[in-house]
Amino acid sequence: MDYSNLRRQAASMKRGLFDQGYLDEQFRQVEDLQDEASPNFVEEVVVLFFKDSAKLMSNLEQALEKYPRDFNRWDAYMQQLKGSCSSIGASRMKIECLSFRDNCGQGNVEGCMGSLQKLKREHALLRQKLESYFQLLRQAGPAGAATRPVM
Amino acid sequence: MASSCMGIGGEGSAPAAPHVLAVDDSSVDRAVITGILRSSKFRVTAVDSAKRALELLGSVCGLTEPQIISRFRNFRFLCCIACAITYSCIGLQGANVSMIITDYWMPDMTGYELLKKVKESSKLREIPVVIMSSENVPTRINRCLEEGAEDFLLKPVRRSDVSRLCSRVLP
């Protein structure tokens, strides 16, 4: 098994995520917190993020139906979601959150619906890409070897 | 959570790392701030509400002293006395917290309200309180600083923000 090749692939995958704007600098900040005492910190936070954001989006979808045109309420949900995206560096998702909040501000229901759909798509995309990335990291070698970002 | 504030060791043992209380209703943000504080070698207790923070701080039943006094005739006050006696007996007072770092915007009680309660309490007022917020609102920041906040951090919080702060605030 060529571990160094796998590590290179993982690094390249991650570089791609940054280059394509899926992730921003805050993700590196989170990676920096991973060490021997918390060897799986990044993945744990990412898993927590996807669980949390899925729930928030689901609550928001229900609110869109149950409280029509309640832009303040919708915005409050989105503020929470935007906060989480920001904390882990989920950049493209954050952009859709901002777009949703703009639409709320303009009282644009269709715009809100559209933003939410885009957000869900970005959520699914990022989840899939990060899952592949972590899987590759696991194959690439023991946690100690994969701790320091290769970039 | 309770075990981390048991005042382990007490007088005469080796100095423990400073104990920081982190307050944030977002589970993701709690995980990140905990990670940041732990990587800077602090002991961390993270709670999801100001109410829980006050309970941990030993501010009996979530009330500050002025409130306890004003509810003198309330039955809860009797329970509070019982709690206070228990807490003092097992040394949980203040839970040995060296710093509080709290999100501003939380449902039920905001970080600002928590700050006020801490500063109103003669037992807790010396504990530095740092506020975090994702929104850069100058009036909000000023209000917090005027109320006695040690600092105001913009989210997303980075390790460098916290280490700069801690070296200033903690021994």
Side-chain angles (χ1 to χ4, degrees), chain A residues 25-26 29-30 32-33 35 41 45 48-49 52 79-80 82-84 86-88 101, chain B residues 25-29 31-32 34-36 39 41 105 134-135 155-160:
Chain A
E25 174 58 31
Q26 185 62 17
Q29 292 284 327
V30 175
D32 263 356
L33 302 176
D35 57 20
F41 181 74
V45 175
L48 188 58
F49 168 72
D52 188 64
Q79 186 179 6
Q80 274 190 286
K82 189 205 122 209
S84 300
S86 185
S87 294
I88 70 145
R101 295 189 79 192
Chain B
D25 61 314
S26 158
S27 59
V28 174
D29 288 358
V32 173
T34 297
I36 289 175
S39 79
K41 309 296 179 218
W105 193 254
S134 54
E135 293 174 314
K155 285 182 164 183
V157 176
R158 302 167 158 222
R159 182 154 65 167
S160 53

Side-chain angles (χ1 to χ4, degrees), chain A residues 46-102:
Chain A
V46 167
V47 165
L48 188 58
F49 168 72
F50 281 115
K51 194 167 128 197
D52 188 64
S53 51
K55 186 164 141 238
L56 281 170
M57 287 192 304
S58 166
N59 290 344
L60 176 53
E61 264 186 317
Q62 286 174 32
L64 288 177
E65 225 176 303
K66 195 168 166 203
Y67 304 101
R69 300 194 66 86
D70 190 345
F71 296 106
N72 284 339
R73 185 188 293 262
W74 299 357
D75 186 74
Y77 276 111
M78 193 48 82
Q79 186 179 6
Q80 274 190 286
L81 191 39
K82 189 205 122 209
S84 300
C85 293
S86 185
S87 294
I88 70 145
S91 180
R92 273 160 77 146
M93 281 184 67
K94 190 169 81 168
I95 288 168
E96 297 306 333
C97 291
L98 289 169
S99 158
F100 183 97
R101 295 189 79 192
D102 275 341

Side-chain angles (χ1 to χ4, degrees), chain A residues 31 33-42 44 147, chain B residues 35 38-39:
Chain A
E31 281 184 311
L33 302 176
Q34 185 158 296
D35 57 20
E36 298 84 41
S38 329
N40 302 307
F41 181 74
V42 185
E44 285 164 6
T147 290
Chain B
R38 287 219 174 110
S39 79

Side-chain angles (χ1 to χ4, degrees), chain B residues 128-132 141 144-145 148-153 161 164-165 168-169:
Chain B
V129 180
V130 174
I131 313 270
M132 305 180 280
I141 296 172
C144 290
L145 294 175
E150 189 61 39
D151 208 334
F152 194 103
L153 300 179
D161 298 329
R164 196 171 45 233
L165 170 72
R168 212 178 70 220
V169 168

Side-chain angles (χ1 to χ4, degrees), chain B residues 48-65:
Chain B
D48 64 2
S49 71
K51 184 163 164 255
R52 271 201 230 264
L54 288 170
E55 284 166 8
L56 203 94
L57 290 163
S59 182
V60 180
C61 298
L63 300 171
T64 56
E65 288 145 38

